[in-house]
Amino acid sequence: MTRELLIPIARDVVEHAKAGTIKQAKEIMRLPATHYTDSSRFNTEVERLIKRVPIVLGPSCEIPNSGDFKTLSIAGMSLIVSRADDGKAHAVINACSHRGACLTKEESGNKKKFTCPYHGWSFSNVGDLLAVSAEKDFGSINKKDYGLISLPVYESAGLIWAILNPKSEVDIPNFLSGYDKMLDTFSFSDWVYVSKREFSGPNWKIAYDGYLEYYHVPVLHRDTFVVDATNNGLIMLGDLISILNHLLQKRDTLLQKPWVIWLI
């Protein structure tokens, strides 16, 4: 988002802050419950959204060393996320290129190669086919054509991003447009992996919805981190988040200053 677009939005935020108001929608929005329960809709969301955009497969600290790997199931896909000898993170589909057998059911570990339990084909931890068992009997093949299916991966800010579509041409850094740099303020790169917890829920949108409004904050979180919290919060995208954080931290001071001082 450009500065020219950010400034009028920021001005609007400040005017609401001065007036003690919040921007209202033009009309009441009604959302059918089936948006959260319809399996056909969910499958469409997986294909058109979840598998189309970069998502986080986990923090870098889960596989800090060469040979480290973890497995996970996401959007109906079983994946192996590993760290190669050159330090780069990789993600491959956890299925042998021969007959599709699951290569490993281990949650994590350290391996330089994975061997299929069905016919014994062996793959490197980045997906290259290393060996075909009883190759003389099986027949000669070009091993370069039978590696594991790899996903586009990008590691930044202590997080491992991937697109769940091996044919995707999306440039992940360009798509993120600096969002990863903003997340770098959390210093995920310095985190140490301790344990894993799993939370089940009815639909991915239920979790996402909570981050799209402040209305619940003074009620749900009143006994934890937001004593005397306000409903007057606005959710924006991109670089505007940094502006809003600045406004929240310096609100009393900034509201007394002319725009020319703090918008340059």
Side-chain angles (χ1 to χ4, degrees):
M1 186 176 289
T2 65
R3 182 176 182 275
E4 288 70 24
L5 293 174
L6 287 172
I7 288 179
I9 298 175
R11 288 181 184 274
D12 187 56
V13 171
V14 171
E15 292 306 314
H16 279 294
K18 287 181 178 179
T21 58
I22 188 169
K23 195 176 185 67
Q24 298 288 320
K26 293 181 179 180
E27 58 185 22
I28 295 175
M29 176 182 177
R30 297 182 181 275
L31 197 62
T34 53
H35 283 193
Y36 297 87
T37 60
D38 183 81
S39 59
S40 177
R41 183 185 182 91
F42 174 74
N43 291 333
T44 299
E45 291 168 352
V46 168
E47 295 300 321
R48 296 187 181 180
L49 178 62
I50 304 300
K51 291 185 177 181
R52 185 178 63 85
V53 301
I55 60 174
V56 175
L57 298 184
S60 301
C61 62
E62 284 193 276
I63 52 169
N65 305 310
S66 172
D68 284 351
F69 76 91
K70 76 164 190 171
T71 58
L72 74 158
S73 180
I74 182 169
M77 301 171 65
S78 178
L79 306 179
I80 299 174
V81 183
S82 63
R83 179 83 58 194
D85 288 338
D86 61 4
K88 293 183 179 180
H90 294 262
V92 297
I93 295 178
N94 186 13
C96 179
S97 58
H98 177 213
R99 297 295 296 275
C102 177
L103 290 172
T104 179
K105 294 183 179 181
E106 296 180 76
E107 286 193 3
S108 61
N110 186 287
K111 288 183 178 181
K112 294 300 178 69
K113 70 176 183 179
F114 295 90
T115 300
C116 177
Y118 193 8
H119 293 106
W121 286 26
S122 295
F123 302 85
S124 73
N125 62 352
V126 300
D128 297 326
L129 176 58
L130 300 176
V132 174
S133 63
E135 187 170 5
K136 181 179 178 181
D137 299 326
F138 181 80
S140 179
I141 61 172
N142 186 344
K143 294 183 178 63
K144 292 183 179 179
D145 295 334
Y146 291 91
L148 301 178
I149 298 176
S150 298
L151 301 179
V153 168
Y154 173 66
E155 188 170 17
S156 177
L159 299 170
I160 301 171
W161 309 74
I163 298 180
L164 303 180
N165 177 2
K167 297 181 180 180
S168 174
E169 297 181 356
V170 172
D171 183 307
I172 299 179
N174 186 58
F175 184 94
L176 295 177
S177 299
Y179 180 63
D180 53 326
K181 306 306 178 186
M182 184 184 72
L183 291 177
D184 201 27
T185 59
F186 291 98
S187 300
F188 291 125
S189 299
D190 299 326
W191 285 27
V192 176
Y193 177 73
V194 176
S195 64
K196 180 179 74 173
R197 289 186 295 170
E198 295 186 6
F199 300 91
S200 61
N203 192 284
W204 67 273
K205 295 187 291 293
I206 294 294
Y208 193 74
D209 280 352
Y211 293 95
L212 297 180
E213 46 90 357
Y214 271 72
Y215 189 45
H216 73 281
V217 173
V219 180
L220 184 62
H221 303 298
R222 63 182 179 275
D223 296 326
T224 53
F225 64 92
V226 283
V227 178
D228 299 325
T230 175
N231 284 323
N232 293 338
L234 294 174
I235 302 296
M236 301 293 182
L237 300 177
D239 295 335
L240 188 55
I241 293 176
S242 61
I243 288 182
L244 295 182
N245 286 337
H246 188 54
L247 290 178
L248 291 173
Q249 295 170 9
K250 306 289 186 180
R251 172 177 171 172
D252 293 338
T253 301
L254 289 176
L255 292 184
Q256 303 303 318
K257 293 181 180 297
W259 280 96
V260 68
I261 292 178
W262 58 274
L263 275 181
I264 293 179

